């Protein structure tokens, strides 16, 4: 959070000072531009996130994984974030928070101004270093951790804005996103075998707004907020192994073929606070 506060403070000061340097700017927002956007990405706190189980592999999640005595094997519970060891927070363990981090994008766009109204389109491609995790804990004890991140993201947003003086633009933007989501799973359980890691390209949405300030004949700078959301509900991990473990014990209502896991939070979403720079032709 201190990184984000410092970034916003420096970027805001630059935008506030920009009008004094804008006297030589071409008037208006028209034509094609190229540029970059960079800033800090923050994830919402997914309180209550957990893991669901399908013991009989019928595609219906919400089953209870039971030990040989019939007790709930996952009675220690769940936590949002990545487990630091095999112990649940209730047993003295802890979980690392989801990782907020920096993001970097290149962009190209075009605008057309009619009076005080500006309409345009902007396309982007880049990456963010955030990771989003959730952990489950069994009474063994053992931990089971889902993680996901973004390898790359592309987006096209239409934008509509208002300029009071032909050098400052206030705008909103919305459009589709397309991202490569990298999903992974790990466990301290060495008795069973777990399969299910991979990447998926997924469509989503992006939306937000910002302020852009012209400086000189070709340069512009700005501040921007963007919200990102992607559906991520098809990542399944299967636990297999010798018959008789809680995941492969047919006597407890399951299947000897194993148990499927999914995470309960099926949306990958985050907030971007950025500084932007553009060169207008």
């Amino acid at each position: 959070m201190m990184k984000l506060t410092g970034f916003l403070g420096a970027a805001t000061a630059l935008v506030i000072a920009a009008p004094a340097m804008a006297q030589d700017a071409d008037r208006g927002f028209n034509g094609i531009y190229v540029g970059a956007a960079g800033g800090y990405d923050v994830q919402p706190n997914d309180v209550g996130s957990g893991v669901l189980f399908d013991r009989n592999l019928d595609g219906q999640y919400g089953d209870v994984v039971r030990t040989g005595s019939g007790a709930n094997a996952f009675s220690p519970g769940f936590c949002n974030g990545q487990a630091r060891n095999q112990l649940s927070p209730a047993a003295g363990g802890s979980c690392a928070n989801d990782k907020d981090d920096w993001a970097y994008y290149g962009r190209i766009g075009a605008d057309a101004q009619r009076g005080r109204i500006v309409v345009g389109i902007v396309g982007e491609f880049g990456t963010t270093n955030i990771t989003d995790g959730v952990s489950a804990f069994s009474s063994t004890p053992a931990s089971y951790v889902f993680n996901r991140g973004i390898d790359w993201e592309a987006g096209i947003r239409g934008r509509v804005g208002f300029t009071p003086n032909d050098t400052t633009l206030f705008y909103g933007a919305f459009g589709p996103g397309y991202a490569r989501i990298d999903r992974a799973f790990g466990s301290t359980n060495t008795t069973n075998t777990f399969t299910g890691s991979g990447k998926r390209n997924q469509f989503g949405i992006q939306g937000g707004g910002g302020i852009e300030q012209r400086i000189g004949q070709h340069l512009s700078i700005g501040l921007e907020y963007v919200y990102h959301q992607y559906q991520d509900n098809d990542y399944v991990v299967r636990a297999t192994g010798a018959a008789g473990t809680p995941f492969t014990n047919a006597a407890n209502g399951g299947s000897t073929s194993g148990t499927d896991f999914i995470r309960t939070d099926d949306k990958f979403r985050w907030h971007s606070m950025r500084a932007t720079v553009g060169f207008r032709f």
Side-chain angles (χ1 to χ4, degrees):
M1 186 58 68
M2 292 181 63
K3 291 181 180 178
L4 177 59
T5 302
F7 163 75
L8 290 177
T12 301
L14 183 58
V15 171
I16 292 174
M21 300 182 287
Q23 295 178 358
D24 296 329
D26 289 343
R27 298 181 67 82
F29 290 85
N30 288 288
I32 298 172
Y33 60 91
V34 296
Y40 203 69
D41 285 0
V42 177
Q43 298 175 81
N45 187 10
D46 301 325
V47 175
S49 295
V51 176
L52 295 175
F53 305 96
D54 176 11
R55 272 294 292 115
N56 55 7
L57 305 181
D58 64 353
Q60 302 297 314
Y61 291 88
D63 299 337
V64 177
V65 178
R66 299 192 182 279
T67 64
S69 65
N72 183 352
F74 283 84
S75 56
F78 313 95
C79 74
N80 177 49
Q82 182 171 339
R84 290 191 169 96
N85 52 44
Q86 73 272 20
L87 297 178
S88 70
S94 63
C95 284
N97 291 330
D98 290 338
K99 181 184 176 185
D100 302 330
D101 215 320
W102 300 100
Y104 316 91
Y105 290 78
R107 54 170 47 182
I108 183 171
D111 290 322
Q113 182 173 336
R114 297 296 181 267
R116 294 300 178 194
I117 303 300
V118 177
V119 295
I121 188 169
V122 58
E124 287 188 332
F125 183 87
T127 188
T128 175
N129 295 317
I130 60 174
T131 57
D132 177 25
V134 64
S135 300
F137 299 90
S138 65
S139 55
T140 314
S143 61
Y144 309 78
V145 182
F146 285 79
N147 270 319
R148 58 189 173 197
I150 298 293
D151 282 352
W152 52 259
E153 183 190 28
I156 300 177
R157 299 188 298 277
R159 69 176 193 169
V160 178
F162 172 80
T163 175
N165 54 15
D166 293 333
T167 58
T168 303
L169 175 66
F170 302 91
Y171 64 89
F174 183 83
Y178 190 62
R180 188 166 181 80
I181 304 175
D182 186 5
R183 293 87 61 89
F185 177 85
S187 177
T188 60
N189 176 339
T190 58
T191 301
N192 294 96
T193 299
F194 302 91
T195 57
S197 63
K199 304 182 181 185
R200 175 182 177 175
N201 295 350
Q202 179 68 34
F203 281 102
I205 59 170
Q206 302 175 348
I211 178 173
E212 182 178 344
Q213 178 66 50
R214 295 289 305 273
I215 301 175
Q217 294 184 352
H218 301 289
L219 188 66
S220 66
I221 61 172
L223 289 175
E224 186 176 68
Y225 162 79
V226 180
Y227 173 76
H228 314 249
Q229 179 173 299
Y230 293 89
Q231 191 78 12
D232 183 34
N233 60 354
D234 67 338
Y235 180 53
V236 179
V237 172
R238 177 163 295 183
T240 58
T245 71
F247 301 118
T248 57
N249 185 0
N252 65 6
S255 167
T256 57
S257 297
T259 297
D260 283 349
F261 299 30
I262 61 171
R263 57 191 298 166
T264 59
D265 50 328
D266 61 358
K267 292 182 177 62
F268 194 4
R269 48 196 170 190
W270 69 95
H271 308 272
S272 296
M273 302 299 296
R274 312 158 153 193
T276 65
V277 60
F279 180 88
R280 290 185 174 269
F281 295 96

